[in-house]
Amino acid sequence: MQASSGPSGEALLAIAALAAIQLTAGKSDAQAAVLGAFFTMLGDAIGLLLAQRAAL
């Protein structure tokens, strides 16, 4: 099923960059690293769920 049209790839990239700046503002390097690792794992988990769904 195709999703409805949304923001362009360029817009999503800009939104992600702005979100990263906002989320890490005022955080230590260690805190920012934890946030980065969390969102990496979140993205990986979403990818795994979608791959499993496609395989079934």
Side-chain angles (χ1 to χ4, degrees), residues 28-49:
S28 69
D29 288 350
Q31 291 170 323
V34 169
L35 280 172
F38 172 81
F39 285 107
T40 296
M41 286 192 65
L42 178 65
D44 289 346
I46 291 170
L48 177 62
L49 290 170

Side-chain angles (χ1 to χ4, degrees), residues 48-56:
L48 177 62
L49 290 170
L50 292 174
Q52 180 61 16
R53 232 188 255 173
L56 297 176

